[in-house]
Amino acid sequence: MSQKLNIAAIQADLKWENPEANRLYFDDKINALESDIDLIVLPEMFSTGFSMKPQHIADEGEMLSWMQSKAATTNSAIAGSLMVTENGLFFNRFYFVEPNGTFHTYNKRHRFTLAGEHHIYERGDKQVIVNFKGWNILLQVCYDLRFPVFSRNTSNYDVVLYVANWPKKRIFAWDTLLKARAIENMCYCIGVNRVGLDGNNYEHNGYSGIYDSLGATLAFAKEEEKTIFATLSKAHLSETRNHLNFLADQDAFELK
């Protein structure tokens, strides 16, 4: 178990529907990082942008292999979502890849109907919590942020991790809800968004952030391409929860 977890979150201007260009971009960004990072977080659909046209560019394993290679080289876990194809179906799939090549997946549950995501991508059916270096990390994707019941902390997770392509016109909601998820779940909350125009001419302005269990800002990026860093502390999390045991007062109900 590691008492500290060093995070690097890469806020990027994604190249539209161009996996090779994005791979090269993130190669450079990751290669520039220091060697003491435990977890590197990339945005939602980091190889393509939030596209509804996966038919010819959905990943069939190439980007996963790249993630495994980078995780091994850097000795860091790498996390982010990809459009993937499996058995003729498409998924917006979050990958969490450990340095030894082991990987965990979460299929996005709440599909963004305003963009027609529910017509293209299959729906996830389960919550996924990864144990990495003794830290329990809940995986979530973009629109999931609006639905607090699905991220409700009944499993004693330590970190909730959101990757996104969240547009500028609704950035106030993104910024506010990230802090709310940290506060209500008494956990660290990491939100990694993109910047720049996508292929549908929607503008994204980032606002990636890392927050502690009381909603205080540990790291934040506004409207530029930027990598932000933070160190999470298990001792600080435990101390806060022991002093303010709010989770013990949650209502009991089941999600079906």
Side-chain angles (χ1 to χ4, degrees):
M1 177 184 293
S2 175
Q3 290 297 311
K4 303 282 188 180
L5 200 67
N6 295 321
I7 308 295
I10 302 177
Q11 181 168 282
D13 186 353
L14 302 178
K15 313 304 182 286
W16 186 247
E17 296 181 350
N18 193 333
E20 179 61 17
N22 286 306
R23 183 189 64 78
L24 293 173
Y25 174 93
F26 284 113
D27 263 334
D28 289 341
K29 294 294 184 182
I30 292 171
N31 291 343
L33 296 175
E34 300 293 334
S35 60
D36 62 345
I37 301 299
D38 298 301
L39 172 59
I40 301 166
V41 190
L42 313 181
E44 178 186 21
M45 288 193 182
F46 69 83
S47 69
T48 58
F50 188 63
S51 169
M52 296 301 105
K53 297 180 180 178
Q55 290 78 7
H56 303 295
I57 54 173
D59 189 62
E60 297 181 341
E62 295 87 351
M63 290 301 291
L64 172 59
S65 295
W66 172 81
M67 292 176 78
Q68 290 174 312
S69 175
K70 298 306 289 185
T73 300
T74 60
N75 196 34
S76 305
I78 298 180
S81 96
L82 298 165
M83 57 164 70
V84 302
T85 180
E86 184 178 284
N87 298 323
L89 302 175
F90 299 110
F91 299 86
N92 185 347
R93 180 169 293 170
F94 196 139
Y95 283 99
F96 187 104
V97 181
E98 299 188 36
N100 65 3
T102 299
F103 66 91
H104 312 267
T105 62
Y106 160 67
N107 293 325
K108 184 179 181 181
R109 179 176 179 86
H110 299 96
R111 296 161 299 172
F112 191 53
T113 56
L114 284 176
E117 187 179 14
H118 60 304
H119 295 307
I120 307 296
Y121 297 96
E122 299 300 308
R123 181 188 187 190
D125 60 2
K126 62 181 180 180
Q127 192 184 71
V128 175
I129 296 174
V130 174
N131 185 276
F132 177 63
K133 293 191 171 184
W135 290 76
N136 292 318
I137 303 172
L138 175 66
L139 309 184
Q140 300 274 272
V141 179
C142 202
Y143 196 41
D144 289 330
L145 180 62
R146 287 190 177 271
F147 304 94
V149 171
F150 192 60
S151 63
R152 190 165 175 267
N153 195 359
T154 59
S155 303
N156 198 35
Y157 65 75
D158 307 303
V159 183
V160 58
L161 179 54
Y162 290 94
V163 297
N165 277 210
W166 198 287
K168 180 178 181 178
K169 64 172 72 176
R170 292 186 294 277
I171 204 65
F172 180 77
W174 162 262
D175 192 38
T176 302
L177 292 174
L178 286 174
K179 296 169 188 172
R181 297 296 87 84
I183 293 166
E184 70 196 9
N185 293 302
M186 294 209 76
C187 67
Y188 287 103
C189 181
I190 301 170
V192 183
N193 196 19
R194 64 159 295 176
V195 294
L197 286 175
D198 67 18
N200 296 312
N201 235 22
Y202 289 115
E203 185 177 3
H204 302 77
N205 64 333
Y207 279 57
S208 298
I210 303 174
Y211 305 95
D212 74 9
S213 57
L214 295 177
T217 303
L218 302 180
F220 184 75
K222 276 201 173 180
E223 301 185 7
E224 69 275 21
E225 296 178 75
K226 186 176 182 179
T227 301
I228 59 174
F229 303 90
T231 298
L232 314 188
S233 166
K234 186 64 76 73
H236 183 269
L237 182 62
S238 297
E239 180 182 347
T240 303
R241 287 179 171 177
N242 290 336
H243 180 60
L244 302 169
N245 193 18
F246 299 142
L247 293 178
D249 297 326
Q250 293 186 99
D251 295 311
F253 60 89
E254 293 183 3
L255 179 65
K256 296 184 178 180

